[in-house]
Amino acid sequence: MRRAMPCRVLFVVLLLAVAAPAVAKPELSVPADLSVPDPGPVRLTGLAPGDQVTLETFRATSAGMILTGAALFRADASGEVDTATLAPLAGDYREVDPLGLFWSATRSLDPAAPAPMAGHVTIRARSGDAIIAQAEARIGPDPQTLTTETAPFPGAFITRPADNQRHPVVIVLGGSEGGDKTARAMAPLFAAQGYFVVGLPYYAPARGQVGRIAGLPESFTNIAVDRLARVRDWLRHQPRADAAAIGLWGVSKGAEFAAIAAAHYDWLRAVALIVPSDVVWEGWGKDSARTSSFAFEGHSLAFVPYLGIDLEFARLSRGEPMQLVRAHRAGRAAYPERIAAARIPLERYTGALLVAGGRDDRIWPSAEMAEAIVRERADAGLPTVSLVFERAGHALAGPGSDPVADYTANGGEAPFIARARAELWRATARFFKRNLAPSGNAGR
């Protein structure tokens, strides 16, 4: 025979059921756009203090390869994991870094790794084998907010905010890789900050038919810097471009191009030189006599020759590490009498200038050349925004959220490359905002 539960016992059971706190569901907060100058951290809330969780990221490359990053965390006293304040217990990076889950991503060997949406990173939280939260972050700006059109120069294009306002201009110059790859990558990032961006390829080495751009030279010899004057004339007639506020951004050989332009054109309001040169260097790609990389108004510019560059390319062909920086250093040492004539006189440029270099640059000595630019301008009483990163290399252009494992071949250590890129990207955004005064949608 069943006995009835006493009323007071039943009351206590009901009271405990009502008073028991609801278990919070974990919630994952991620940056909306990883390409902005300060995207913010990944945060996971709704945990019990001390809970251990693994945060994972998945992104697809343009070639369809899946890159993954992961780190194990212990929730703090409030039951949260915040990548801006907590270091991982274990994983693909070690120290506190709000973007560590993203830049530390490497190729996944797991055939079951999830394929994220195009243009996005999937972030998920896992407790043991259970996925407890998941979110998506864009790798770049929302394409619906931008418009891209062709421009009337070989391979050139514009990307700008999709509105009817006038915007300051940023002209983007890629490096010795040639073509428009760098310009295509960087243009949306600047346009999302409120700029009318001109992607301006100036050299397109032919690899069969791949990379060929009609009207552009296939050898890096006597590249005409003065083509920028024609771009400026065209910009004056563009209703969405403020041709009175033109900035120039160049990386590597594009920074060499931009430095020469700054020394000649006072209408450039702000110039950013990423891993720059302080001299004009020898060109390449033709079997004829040595000549310059650059020309101005039909005249080849004085240059410093390389020494031993063929040896570096031979190492590459044998599958050995190539360090072009050796050929640059040897050239300066072997031809000291050529340096003065080849030096780019940036003390002539009175506009705003930013330079950035990596001390472990294995392409060319960008830190030393950036510092030489700063000294020459200081002697002329001109300020320069200067950033030199001691344990980073050549790959300093772009957001700090980009995976960096492949960049170490050109110098630096992965964590220091990533942090240098993040710092430089923030500094570049501030630099152009301060000197070009973009419209109200800047810094989104």
Side-chain angles (χ1 to χ4, degrees):
M1 179 176 176
R2 293 174 58 188
R3 298 177 59 187
M5 182 180 290
C7 290
R8 62 184 180 184
V9 174
L10 178 61
F11 175 75
V12 170
V13 171
L14 290 173
L15 181 63
L16 289 173
V18 171
V23 177
K25 180 180 179 181
E27 293 187 4
L28 195 57
S29 173
V30 302
D33 179 356
L34 292 170
S35 70
V36 299
D38 193 5
V42 173
R43 294 181 68 240
L44 180 65
T45 59
L47 303 171
D51 277 356
Q52 292 191 17
V53 294
T54 299
L55 296 180
E56 303 170 311
T57 64
F58 304 86
R59 77 164 72 194
T61 69
S62 58
M65 184 188 306
I66 303 299
L67 304 181
T68 64
L72 176 68
F73 293 89
R74 179 181 289 115
D76 64 16
S78 61
E80 295 186 4
V81 169
D82 186 333
T83 59
T85 59
L86 292 180
L89 301 176
D92 293 328
Y93 72 102
R94 296 181 180 181
E95 298 181 359
V96 175
D97 192 320
L99 300 177
L101 287 165
F102 303 104
W103 62 253
S104 65
T106 56
R107 182 177 181 178
S108 173
L109 300 177
D110 180 3
M117 294 189 298
H120 288 73
V121 177
T122 296
I123 304 98
R124 71 184 187 186
R126 184 166 47 82
S127 178
D129 293 329
I131 298 171
I132 58 175
Q134 182 167 309
E136 305 283 336
R138 289 197 314 273
I139 294 172
D142 182 353
Q144 299 299 316
T145 66
L146 306 175
T147 184
T148 298
E149 307 164 11
T150 59
F153 309 98
F157 63 93
I158 63 168
T159 300
R160 61 175 178 82
D163 58 28
N164 294 319
Q165 301 178 37
R166 291 178 77 221
H167 296 275
V169 176
V170 172
I171 301 170
V172 174
L173 301 170
S176 61
E177 73 283 352
D180 64 358
K181 181 179 179 180
T182 297
R184 293 283 177 186
M186 297 303 299
L189 311 188
F190 283 118
Q193 296 176 44
Y195 300 100
F196 183 107
V197 184
V198 181
L200 191 66
Y202 54 89
Y203 152 74
R207 301 175 179 92
Q209 292 299 316
V210 178
R212 188 185 301 273
I213 298 177
L216 291 184
E218 296 179 12
S219 64
F220 209 118
T221 54
N222 292 319
I223 303 295
V225 173
D226 48 293
R227 66 185 307 218
L228 282 180
R230 296 191 295 276
V231 175
R232 183 203 187 199
D233 290 342
W234 174 76
L235 286 167
R236 286 171 167 169
H237 301 286
Q238 304 310 302
R240 303 291 175 257
D242 182 358
I246 298 177
L248 188 57
W249 181 95
V251 59
S252 192
K253 290 295 283 188
E256 185 180 334
F257 185 135
I260 298 166
H264 287 86
Y265 295 131
D266 60 4
W267 45 263
L268 289 167
R269 186 180 289 184
V271 177
L273 308 178
I274 312 304
V275 290
S277 176
D278 63 327
V279 298
V280 179
W281 287 96
E282 178 183 352
W284 68 83
K286 284 188 175 180
D287 295 332
S288 56
R290 286 180 162 181
T291 189
S292 180
S293 288
F294 293 101
F296 189 80
E297 295 182 347
H299 299 286
S300 183
L301 297 177
F303 64 93
V304 177
Y306 304 117
L307 182 63
I309 197 166
D310 292 342
L311 297 176
E312 296 302 325
F313 287 130
R315 287 188 177 97
L316 182 64
S317 68
R318 295 193 299 267
E320 299 172 5
M322 177 183 71
Q323 293 193 27
L324 292 176
V325 67
R326 290 183 285 223
H328 287 88
R329 291 191 191 280
R332 290 185 86 118
Y335 303 101
E337 74 283 359
R338 305 283 291 267
I339 293 174
R343 190 180 67 81
I344 303 170
L346 278 165
E347 66 275 10
R348 295 180 186 170
Y349 178 62
T350 58
L353 187 71
L354 178 149
V355 298
R359 189 72 68 191
D360 191 31
D361 193 328
R362 296 175 194 171
I363 300 298
W364 62 11
S366 63
E368 296 164 35
M369 295 192 291
E371 289 167 339
I373 291 169
V374 172
R375 285 194 301 271
E376 294 290 345
R377 285 175 57 81
D379 289 345
L382 296 171
T384 307
V385 178
S386 175
L387 297 95
V388 171
F389 301 99
E390 295 299 322
R391 297 172 72 176
H394 197 71
L396 296 184
S401 57
D402 290 345
V404 299
D406 290 345
Y407 297 154
T408 57
N410 289 333
E413 303 163 52
F416 298 95
I417 296 170
R419 290 165 196 159
R421 287 166 64 92
E423 182 179 343
L424 177 56
W425 188 226
R426 289 191 296 269
T428 302
R430 290 193 301 267
F431 172 76
F432 280 132
K433 183 175 183 179
R434 182 170 61 248
N435 293 292
L436 297 181
S439 57
N441 61 349
R444 290 180 303 175

